[in-house]
Amino acid sequence: MKRLFLVAIFAIITMSAFAQAKRPTIMVVPSDAWCKSKGYVTEVDNMGTTVYSPDYVAALQNDFDLLNVISKLNDLMNDRGFPLQNLESVIRDITTTSAELSLVEGKSGGSVAESMYDQVRNRARADIIMQVTWDVVTVGPKKSVRYTLQGLDSYTNKQIAGANGTGEPSHQVDIAVMLQEAVMANMDSFVGRLQEHFDDMFANGREVSYLIRVSDIWGEDLESDFDGYALSEIIDDWFYDNTEGHRYSVADQSDTQMTLNQVRIPIYDERGRANDANRFIRNLVRYLRAEPYLIENIKVLNQGLGRCVLILGEK
């Protein structure tokens, strides 16, 4: 009897640990729209094109309500068993590492700077980015909070869950408390959609995308014959053999480039590490560098957690 009791306890603990392991990691951030409305944005030179990026550092340093809102939403998600990455802690890690803030050499000759959003996302490696937008509506002596929550897949930026609404008018002055009360009505359905998305990833793989290009200084292209097959066929077959459920889509193909979207990769690699587009595609690089193909010069450009560019024939 005692042995059966111990076995039962062990089974319960094991099941609980397994369930926890299947929860997606969440990071709460202010939305781009909220940052722009407050003036918390920076200009980033991306290969000669100016783009605007949320300035999370300025937002956290100057907006006390934001800190409270993130804290409240973290509490709500933690109470539901979701592991969290805290935005302020991630930024602190980045700012203490000078390499994370420096300009990196552009892969095609120019120079690009990583936006703070990209740095935060790449460092945190959260499964889902939970964006929050809110403003305060004043009617007479009472106030209410109007809010929007968006759950984004951090690898694809696709929205997978959303909720919005307006809280009940109140004399409450704490914005974070008002927001917490307002979102409670929609939180269970919002969380349910987040979990459904992660369950789908766990069963069918994480979605990423790739662009494969041919260097103009290489003497071959995607239609060149390698061991009796066009290179594009070899790459196509490799993705068929290595994706989860053979799920991927060749969206565009020519003799010089190949675009693969909706590529489903294992959520963890063979060593149990969280997989991403870069880690997964290293296996293709090793495959093409080996016999019988011997394509030594392959450059991999990392464009975030969920997208890579491969340039064949370039060092």
Side-chain angles (χ1 to χ4, degrees):
M1 181 66 69
K2 182 178 181 181
R3 184 173 180 273
L4 290 175
F5 177 78
L6 293 174
V7 170
I9 293 296
F10 178 78
I12 292 171
I13 293 173
T14 301
M15 291 175 63
S16 298
F18 182 72
Q20 178 66 25
K22 290 186 64 177
R23 287 288 198 180
T25 302
I26 307 290
M27 182 169 64
V28 180
V29 304
S31 73
D32 292 6
W34 184 89
C35 289
K36 186 175 181 180
S37 70
K38 299 290 186 176
Y40 301 134
V41 292
T42 58
E43 294 183 2
V44 178
D45 180 14
N46 185 5
M47 304 294 290
T49 301
T50 299
V51 295
Y52 294 92
S53 173
D55 188 346
Y56 295 141
V57 174
L60 291 169
Q61 289 177 348
N62 293 284
D63 200 298
F64 189 68
D65 285 336
L66 174 60
L67 287 171
N68 285 336
V69 164
I70 290 176
S71 178
K72 289 294 185 183
L73 291 176
N74 280 346
D75 286 344
L76 288 175
M77 300 308 291
N78 186 60
D79 289 344
R80 287 161 173 77
F82 287 86
L84 299 165
Q85 284 281 11
N86 185 54
L87 177 62
E88 188 176 21
S89 299
V90 171
I91 289 177
R92 187 180 299 115
D93 288 343
I94 292 172
T95 54
T96 56
T97 306
S98 59
E100 293 289 337
L101 299 176
S102 63
L103 292 177
V104 295
E105 183 180 357
K107 302 304 181 181
S108 60
S111 63
V112 296
E114 269 195 306
S115 68
M116 176 56 69
Y117 176 78
D118 289 332
Q119 292 180 62
V120 166
R121 185 172 58 173
N122 292 337
R123 174 63 68 90
R125 301 184 69 85
D127 297 300
I128 294 170
I129 302 297
M130 186 171 162
Q131 285 195 156
V132 56
T133 306
W134 78 91
D135 62 356
V136 178
V137 179
T138 301
V139 179
K142 294 185 177 182
K143 295 181 179 180
S144 58
V145 169
R146 182 168 51 198
Y147 73 92
T148 298
L149 294 178
Q150 294 172 291
L152 307 177
D153 185 309
S154 64
Y155 285 60
T156 65
N157 283 326
K158 292 181 179 179
Q159 179 170 321
I160 56 177
N164 61 77
T166 303
E168 293 294 326
S170 169
H171 291 289
Q172 174 66 251
V173 295
D174 189 324
I175 301 300
V177 172
M178 293 171 64
L179 180 64
Q180 181 184 35
E181 293 172 350
V183 303
M184 287 301 294
N186 294 318
M187 184 54 70
D188 288 341
S189 60
F190 179 80
V191 166
R193 287 190 291 272
L194 297 184
Q195 187 63 47
E196 286 174 8
H197 176 74
F198 189 72
D199 289 343
D200 175 71
M201 287 197 302
F202 205 89
N204 302 307
R206 188 188 295 282
E207 183 179 334
V208 298
S209 63
Y210 296 99
L211 172 62
I212 300 174
R213 301 180 61 184
V214 173
S215 170
D216 56 9
I217 62 174
W218 193 35
E220 309 287 350
D221 60 34
L222 292 173
E223 296 307 311
S224 295
D225 185 278
F226 285 82
D227 198 36
Y229 294 90
L231 182 55
S232 59
E233 292 181 90
I234 294 167
I235 294 172
D236 196 347
D237 286 346
W238 185 91
F239 275 97
Y240 180 86
D241 291 338
N242 289 276
T243 49
E244 290 288 281
H246 315 299
R247 298 186 183 200
Y248 67 100
S249 174
V250 180
D252 179 49
Q253 183 177 328
S254 68
D255 59 345
T256 59
Q257 76 175 39
M258 189 174 183
T259 302
L260 297 104
N261 293 331
Q262 298 174 322
V263 180
R264 291 295 191 116
I265 67 174
I267 197 167
Y268 301 112
D269 70 4
E270 63 278 0
R271 298 173 66 180
R273 297 173 298 186
N275 224 350
D276 58 28
N278 184 284
R279 180 166 284 155
F280 178 75
I281 208 63
R282 294 176 197 168
N283 297 313
L284 174 60
V285 172
R286 284 189 285 270
Y287 180 73
L288 294 177
R289 283 176 173 165
E291 294 277 2
Y293 313 115
L294 299 176
I295 305 174
E296 287 295 327
N297 295 330
I298 303 176
K299 182 175 288 188
V300 180
L301 311 183
N302 192 21
Q303 296 189 334
L305 296 173
R307 178 175 169 81
C308 281
V309 177
L310 267 66
I311 304 180
L312 304 177
E314 184 172 330
K315 295 182 179 179

